Amino acid sequence: MAAPSKYKPEYNAQVIKLCKLGATDKDLASFFNVCERTLNNWKLDSPELLQSLKEGKEEADNNVAESLYKRAMGYEHTAVHISNYKGAITQTPFTKHYAPDATSMIFWLKNRRPDLWRDKQEIEHSGEVNAVINIGDPDTND
């Protein structure tokens, strides 16, 4: 007889929060003090848990994709410079500019447009290849 499952419906909210923070299935299993196989069984037995996993991971992935896109394109945001001169604290608002980042562009394009940007080039050719193989003693020219 199998042991009763430790899974509780309350875990769904925790799963969403943990996945939004980037938790993997291995991390979740560790958090709930079970093995990954048990977590996988929970996913099969509880569609709500599986949906929570998808929801949390999708939001995290979307946030990363948005950040990667901003980094590739360049962006700006407002910030405040705080300084202290002779005991007087001043706060000066300014706009921080980030130039487009070539590495982010390359990563984005290789993943989004691999047909145009992959490193590996596939070349098709047609026709016959004729090769002459000379087997013999190179010293006697046979």
Side-chain angles (χ1 to χ4, degrees):
M1 179 177 204
S5 175
K6 292 182 183 181
Y7 169 74
K8 298 175 186 163
E10 307 86 74
Y11 290 173
N12 296 340
Q14 291 174 304
V15 164
I16 291 171
K17 290 176 186 175
L18 290 167
C19 287
K20 284 180 182 180
L21 295 171
T24 62
D25 284 4
K26 183 176 182 177
D27 298 329
L28 293 170
S30 177
F31 179 83
F32 291 113
N33 200 26
V34 296
C35 66
E36 283 185 75
R37 186 174 181 176
T38 299
L39 181 68
N40 290 331
N41 288 336
W42 288 357
K43 289 191 273 186
L44 291 173
D45 296 339
S46 172
E48 298 84 14
L49 177 69
L50 185 58
Q51 183 57 38
S52 296
L53 275 161
K54 288 180 181 179
E55 182 182 326
K57 288 181 178 184
E58 185 174 333
E59 185 172 332
D61 292 347
N62 289 341
N63 289 338
V64 170
E66 181 182 346
S67 295
L68 176 64
Y69 180 79
K70 284 181 179 178
R71 194 65 188 104
M73 299 302 293
Y75 67 101
E76 58 185 43
H77 67 88
T78 59
V80 176
H81 179 263
I82 301 171
S83 59
N84 180 355
Y85 180 70
K86 295 185 179 180
I89 296 175
T90 59
Q91 297 184 22
T92 309
F94 70 100
T95 301
K96 175 97 172 147
H97 299 273
Y98 295 89
D101 178 65
T103 303
S104 298
M105 291 177 194
I106 292 166
F107 184 81
W108 180 272
L109 290 168
K110 282 184 178 183
N111 284 282
R112 293 281 297 229
R113 298 297 310 268
D115 55 320
L116 298 173
W117 291 93
R118 66 177 164 237
D119 289 331
K120 179 181 172 185
Q121 297 294 321
E122 293 183 14
I123 300 171
E124 291 187 31
H125 61 85
S126 61
E128 291 184 28
V129 176
N130 295 316
V132 176
I133 300 174
N134 188 2
I135 300 175
D137 186 356
D139 293 334
T140 60
N141 292 329
D142 308 284

